[in-house]
Amino acid sequence: MIRVGRPRRTVPEQTTNEAKTSFLTPVSSMRTFWGLMRAYWFSDRWKEAWTLTLVIALLTALSSKAGVWFAMALGELGNSIAFLHDAANTHPLQTILTNAGILVLLVVLKDAGFTGVRNLVSTTLHRKWRGWLDSQFNQALLDGNHTHFHAQHGSAAGGIVAPDNIDQRIQESIKDMTGGAIGLAMGVLGVATSLYFVGENLIGASVEVKGLEFLGSYGTAVLAFLAVATYVPLNTWIAVKLGRLLERLNVRMQQAEGSYRAELTTFLRRSFHVAASHGEGVQKSMHDRLYVDIDKTWGRLNVVNTSYTSFELIYNFIGARIVAYGPGLVSFFHNRLDYKGYITGSEMVAQLISQCSWFIHVMPAIATLRANSQRVTELANAIENVQQPQEFYRQTGRSDFIYGSQNPVFGLTIQKLELAHQGEDATPFLSAANLRFRRGEWTFLKGESGSGKTSLIKAINGLWPYGRGTIVFPEGVTSFYAAQEVKLQQVSLKQLVCLPGSENDHSDMQVAAALHKAGLGDFIGHLPDESRGGKIWDQVLSGGQKQKLVVARIILQQPGLLFLDEATGALDPEGKIAFHEAIKANCADVTVISVMHEAVPPRSLSGEEFYHSVVAINDGVATKKPLAPTLPRELTTILAQPRPAEDKWLRFRRLKQK
């Protein structure tokens, strides 16, 4: 009986035609700005997050209170200087030095104490939050659904755009976003605490203003609040306009930088091919074209940043030296406010303007934060969109694959399979009415280059997006997809051999035995090493050794269903025979489906066939038939040799006939 459903890890991670179901991912709650911002604080690490946050809030409040003390101390110092020559001042120098010392101590307490420790705690929160987000996105991308693979597929025509530069989004965007968000949050806390502490002191020290007697003793406080309420919002509006432009340019700059870096990375990986084809000139023109985009965007960004910096400097001067000193000036002129009270009150107003201007000061950071968060939420949405791959691909084409399982006795079955490219009306380029692969059968895929051999294997394994058909796997049988090599860096040799499992799944002895059987016994002593001679394994191993590594992985994993996708391309004829013999000798009853460049499959040294059947692809149709029996190599060689006696007899018969 065939059972249809969402397959386990041992078979392709695809969904069936069942009713649409929601699959939660580690980033499901991070698809909006606020969802992304609060996810860490409501995660399993909430105690860590809230503890660090509360410590930052406490230190911010203490810093704001220290700011009030600083303003009062500055007023005392200014007053002692102003009355330096007053007859009533019996110890003028001592008073000045004492007030100056208190001011310095307050600066140290505020900046090196409260603010400095807060910086340490905030950077710790930054590190923890970023690390948590990084782990969540890596877990979501590298799941059994092959999300990292599906998320890179999209179509502008279909309205689905694949996220560009995923590496940049995870590394730079998350880092900058978390740092920016923490800085802005501390700014908001600073405003709130300053409004409380500074406002309390302004009201307490307020005096009557001539002409505004109806306000009573709250005159100077009301004027101060009105000055702040008028000056700050007006300039904030200007900052918002400039900030939106900064945001757009920041997003464009990230895209341009990411595209250039991605091309550099790709170029370095294909460096040999560029050198072999003398393609340096073309490659250079490509780099130049990509950098032009960076340069133009950077130039515009510099102009806007410079304009914003000039605006901010002028704003700060007017706010701290004119607006802040205006509200108390009338009362000071009419001798209702002494010099000490005037200086203290003005400094508090300046501090209040500074704290309430956090939005203006951090507008570039807000623009960067919004740009970074947009990049991250786009990636979260892309991850969520591909959790049901077939539903995702149906938006840009036909994707009606059904994956099921059956009794392993019946092997692997493929029915009514059609493979196509993107587009609802795309004509299938490959079809297979009925293919059955019994247990222990070795099948060779044969066809011209581009006929769809690899596409067929991809479709069986759930890695081809468009088409339809039914693929039924033997239940409980582990499948293994072997390509030419696995390009993984900074991993140990043991980890490479243990793929797709963990290095903890197998003992060193088991891994060593697999390497020995694959012909890589010389490397057994380097199992825990991530490199050899300063080079990673991808650089140490030759092409043939990499494919022997594939054999070691197969022997170690003992799959029941094995797909070989040109896995012997870098081996010589003797190496290909050894490759197959190692699998034959160590993997009993394995079902093999293989794609190779050769027109005929290899045979053993004794002339026996490794393969039992062949799937031939002709004119877009795949058909399966038994492999034609052939004579042993030795007998074929003998029969192919010329036989002199026979040749003489044939010549005599021809002459007689003439």
Side-chain angles (χ1 to χ4, degrees), residues 361-404:
H361 298 321
V362 299
M363 180 55 69
I366 291 176
T368 304
L369 171 65
R370 288 176 61 87
N372 284 314
S373 63
Q374 179 183 332
R375 302 276 287 170
V376 178
T377 54
E378 284 175 354
L379 179 57
N381 277 293
I383 290 172
E384 198 70 16
N385 289 340
V386 300
Q387 289 312 297
Q388 296 188 74
Q390 290 200 51
E391 293 295 331
F392 170 72
Y393 289 122
R394 282 180 188 139
Q395 299 176 62
T396 54
R398 185 169 187 176
S399 184
D400 294 314
F401 296 104
I402 299 175
Y403 292 88

Side-chain angles (χ1 to χ4, degrees), residues 21-176:
T21 308
S22 176
F23 296 99
L24 294 179
T25 72
V27 299
S28 294
S29 62
M30 306 180 203
R31 291 175 289 166
T32 63
F33 175 79
W34 290 113
L36 179 63
M37 291 296 107
R38 65 172 177 259
Y40 175 51
W41 280 261
F42 292 90
S43 69
D44 56 345
R45 306 243 306 257
W46 64 272
K47 291 182 180 179
E48 171 187 271
W50 283 108
T51 299
L52 292 170
T53 302
L54 291 175
V55 172
I56 291 172
L58 175 62
L59 291 170
T60 300
L62 291 173
S63 181
S64 296
K65 185 63 176 178
V68 174
W69 298 336
F70 175 83
M72 295 174 66
L74 189 63
E76 290 285 354
L77 178 61
N79 189 63
S80 61
I81 294 174
F83 293 94
L84 176 66
H85 302 292
D86 192 294
N89 191 354
T90 57
H91 302 90
L93 184 59
Q94 181 181 350
T95 303
I96 291 175
L97 292 177
T98 300
N99 289 332
I102 293 173
L103 190 65
V104 170
L105 288 175
L106 286 173
V107 170
V108 172
L109 177 66
K110 179 178 180 294
D111 295 339
F114 300 144
T115 306
V117 175
R118 186 185 67 169
N119 180 69
L120 176 62
V121 179
S122 66
T123 52
T124 301
L125 177 61
H126 183 193
R127 178 169 57 86
K128 298 288 187 181
W129 186 14
R130 180 201 175 185
W132 181 80
L133 279 174
D134 184 83
S135 67
Q136 298 304 296
F137 275 90
N138 273 284
Q139 184 179 344
L141 283 168
L142 299 170
D143 60 359
N145 183 54
H146 309 308
T147 295
H148 64 94
F149 173 79
H150 299 304
Q152 297 181 71
H153 291 76
S155 169
I160 302 174
V161 180
D164 64 322
N165 306 306
I166 293 177
D167 58 331
Q168 182 197 49
R169 294 171 189 258
I170 293 178
Q171 182 188 16
E172 295 179 10
S173 296
I174 287 180
K175 178 184 177 182
D176 294 342

Side-chain angles (χ1 to χ4, degrees), residues 383-447:
I383 290 172
E384 198 70 16
N385 289 340
V386 300
Q387 289 312 297
Q388 296 188 74
Q390 290 200 51
E391 293 295 331
F392 170 72
Y393 289 122
R394 282 180 188 139
Q395 299 176 62
T396 54
R398 185 169 187 176
S399 184
D400 294 314
F401 296 104
I402 299 175
Y403 292 88
S405 61
Q406 63 186 359
N407 192 300
V409 173
F410 300 108
L412 171 68
T413 302
I414 299 172
Q415 298 173 337
K416 299 179 180 179
L417 182 70
E418 292 182 348
L419 303 184
H421 293 292
Q422 194 177 85
E424 291 290 344
D425 302 325
T427 303
F429 64 84
L430 177 63
S431 62
N434 188 16
L435 301 176
R436 187 182 297 274
F437 305 89
R438 67 182 186 276
R439 182 180 181 183
E441 181 181 8
W442 287 43
T443 304
F444 173 67
L445 292 187
K446 180 180 179 180

